[in-house]
Amino acid sequence: MSIFVPNPTAVETQQTFETSVFPYALVGQSPSVEVACNWIAEQRDELKRLATQHGAVLFRGFGLSSPEDFDQLVGALAVENFPYKRSLSNAVRVNFTERVFSANEAPSDVRIYLHHEMAQTPLFPTSILFFCQVAAVEGGATPLCRSDILYEQVRKACPEFIAKLESQGLKYTNVMPNDNDPQSGMGRSWRSTLGVADKQQAEERLQNLGYTFEWLEGDCLRATTPVLPGVREISPGRRTLFNQLIAAYSGWSDQRNDPSNAIRHGDNSKLDAQAVERLIQLADELTFEMAWQTGDAVLIDNTVAMHGRRPFVGTRKVLASLGDMQTHIFSPA
């Protein structure tokens, strides 16, 4: 029987904090995907704990080469599948298996800004997994940022802004097209996003979720969320900037969407521009660039770490899987 025991290994530009490193990296040389996944299944509880402690766990040298291999890894971790079709994600994606899909179908020159997956909706995954099937010729890194560390830094730099995030929360507005728009990083149609067939069903779904909405020219749909948290408590004394603030403020831009109208506090007031710029600066300073190697996989605790995508040259195939769906509502701190 083949024995596979990957070792915790330092990787280039890995970050070190008081009780954690980011990301936590496990490197080995597995003789097969099956052997690697058997080890993962045996260690799944510890691996999930490590993801929450450190923010992300990198698997390198686990023998992965195909969507089916990645599906086995996801299965070995036994995270409850959160199918893309059930999500309210803005992104256009392509499914390969029931739990594996493309990370984002936006063109290669589109930058996807740091965000917590689906923090702008009432439904979100607590676990995200990425797998690099083909690394880009140039660029294409996945930036990762610890939002608990960012929270503490922004709280010191902009205490009034953090206090308002905690007391007022956030609301997000986006315009969904009538049909999928693969040229946009947020081009998923309202039919696909809401899982509906017609306008009446769309309105019923939005009303059930607590959204307000408006139909626009070309059967586009502008929808505004209920008030959602801007800060989340992971455990007693450990808070995180759990939101889509950076992405909405910086990147929700296409022929239908204007970032200046994308995000407000729960009382409908505009965000303090200087505080947001300071937050973005601090996030950039904290960002780890996940420079993919073909075959890499990463498990991210979505409540702890944000992710994004750098522009790239050449073919880049990074797949994703979501797990452990939760719902959240705003409760003032």
Side-chain angles (χ1 to χ4, degrees):
M1 178 180 292
S2 298
I3 297 175
F4 173 65
V5 181
N7 296 310
T9 304
V11 294
E12 188 175 0
T13 71
Q14 184 182 51
Q15 299 172 2
T16 301
F17 303 106
E18 287 186 6
T19 59
S20 61
V21 295
F22 184 66
Y24 188 89
L26 291 166
V27 180
Q29 193 60 52
S30 178
S32 71
V33 174
E34 289 73 20
V35 169
C37 288
N38 286 339
W39 181 85
I40 287 174
E42 293 172 355
Q43 301 294 323
R44 62 171 65 114
D45 291 341
E46 175 64 5
L47 292 170
K48 293 174 186 176
R49 187 196 68 77
L50 289 169
T52 298
Q53 178 185 349
H54 300 278
V57 177
L58 167 64
F59 304 97
R60 178 165 286 168
F62 279 59
L64 307 175
S65 63
S66 69
E68 292 73 24
D69 293 343
F70 181 44
D71 189 274
Q72 285 190 58
L73 182 146
V74 176
L77 282 166
V79 294
E80 182 180 354
N81 186 33
F82 182 2
Y84 165 67
K85 63 186 177 183
R86 288 188 59 198
S87 77
L88 298 173
S89 170
N90 300 332
V92 177
R93 306 176 192 266
V94 175
N95 269 91
F96 294 93
T97 73
E98 181 63 23
R99 56 190 171 194
V100 170
F101 45 83
S102 56
N104 196 302
E105 290 295 300
S108 61
D109 62 342
V110 173
R111 176 183 176 182
I112 299 173
Y113 290 84
L114 288 168
H115 62 282
H116 289 277
E117 192 69 22
M118 286 180 259
Q120 84 285 14
T121 82
L123 313 174
F124 68 93
T126 54
S127 300
I128 307 175
L129 291 109
F130 290 116
F131 160 59
C132 180
Q133 187 177 7
V134 179
V137 173
E138 179 181 329
T142 293
L144 302 173
C145 179
R146 281 276 296 270
S147 287
D148 55 341
I149 305 298
L150 179 61
Y151 168 84
E152 293 297 337
Q153 293 193 5
V154 177
R155 186 171 62 88
K156 292 176 183 177
C158 308
E160 293 181 358
F161 180 67
I162 288 294
K164 190 161 186 179
L165 281 181
E166 293 177 329
S167 66
Q168 296 293 333
L170 294 168
K171 295 198 296 189
Y172 305 86
T173 298
N174 78 295
V175 178
M176 294 173 275
N178 186 40
D179 298 300
N180 282 344
D181 177 7
Q183 298 305 307
S184 169
M186 49 185 303
R188 191 181 184 192
S189 73
W190 53 264
R191 288 184 179 84
S192 176
T193 301
L194 300 173
V196 298
D198 56 40
K199 287 185 175 181
Q200 181 179 344
Q201 291 178 356
E203 292 178 4
E204 291 174 354
R205 181 87 198 279
L206 289 171
Q207 288 167 351
N208 289 336
L209 290 167
Y211 282 64
T212 57
F213 57 88
E214 176 187 5
W215 292 103
L216 305 176
E217 183 179 355
D219 284 342
C220 292
L221 177 59
R222 176 186 289 126
T224 299
T225 69
V227 182
L228 297 172
V231 173
R232 180 180 177 86
E233 187 169 60
I234 305 168
S235 58
R238 188 184 183 194
R239 294 193 164 201
T240 181
L241 279 168
F242 184 73
N243 53 58
Q244 282 239 2
L245 195 158
I246 294 174
Y249 192 89
S250 302
W252 282 17
S253 177
D254 60 18
Q255 60 181 323
R256 295 167 298 276
N257 289 278
D258 178 355
S260 66
N261 296 321
I263 188 166
R264 292 284 190 276
H265 285 295
D267 61 1
N268 289 319
S269 61
K270 290 188 175 182
L271 277 60
D272 181 330
Q274 288 186 326
V276 173
E277 292 299 330
R278 181 63 174 143
L279 183 157
I280 292 171
Q281 177 189 9
L282 290 169
D284 286 343
E285 292 172 0
L286 283 171
T287 292
F288 170 82
E289 298 287 338
M290 180 64 231
W292 293 106
Q293 295 183 18
T294 296
D296 283 351
V298 173
L299 168 64
I300 299 172
D301 186 321
N302 187 43
T303 67
V304 178
M306 293 185 286
H307 67 278
R309 190 194 74 178
R310 302 298 189 199
F312 61 93
V313 175
T315 299
R316 177 189 187 269
K317 292 184 179 180
V318 174
L319 310 184
S321 184
L322 306 178
D324 299 324
M325 184 188 78
Q326 289 192 26
T327 60
H328 63 160
I329 58 175
F330 175 65
S331 178

